[in-house]
Amino acid sequence: MTPAEHAQLADALLAIPGITIPATWNIVLDLLPPPAATMVDRNGPPRLQGMSLLSVLRDQPDGLQELVVVLRVVFGDASAGVGEFAQLAGKPASI
């Protein structure tokens, strides 16, 4: 993943309505398997938290796909932001 692609994916993640609410962000992280749930700073600026999460997940087998599944659980399939993120992450918009 190039730095530009990484930034674009982070922008798409943060564009999901409500994801930057601390309680929501914590739920998303808690639903992910380690190391994502433990390696991402939960107190930094949202963009840095998002980029950190994506860095951890891109190095894990199926890490981005696991995030898409968690986003669908938390936000539902109806969220346009989740669909856009899923497409950028390389997963079909629907399961």
Side-chain angles (χ1 to χ4, degrees):
M1 181 182 309
T2 68
E5 291 168 335
H6 190 98
Q8 183 181 23
L9 200 55
D11 289 340
L13 177 64
L14 296 175
I16 298 171
I19 196 155
T20 59
I21 297 169
T24 305
W25 183 251
N26 284 329
I27 290 169
V28 169
L29 293 179
D30 289 344
L31 290 173
L32 289 168
T38 57
M39 291 183 66
V40 176
D41 177 19
R42 295 174 185 240
N43 298 311
R47 183 166 177 77
L48 294 180
Q49 289 181 51
M51 293 187 84
S52 174
L53 174 62
L54 295 173
S55 293
V56 170
L57 292 177
R58 77 164 180 229
D59 295 334
Q60 302 300 313
D62 299 320
L64 292 176
Q65 289 76 22
E66 290 176 359
L67 178 56
V68 170
V69 170
V70 168
L71 293 173
R72 286 195 173 119
V73 167
V74 174
F75 296 99
D77 281 332
S79 174
V82 173
E84 181 180 332
F85 178 83
Q87 288 180 344
L88 287 173
K91 186 166 180 82
S94 60
I95 297 177

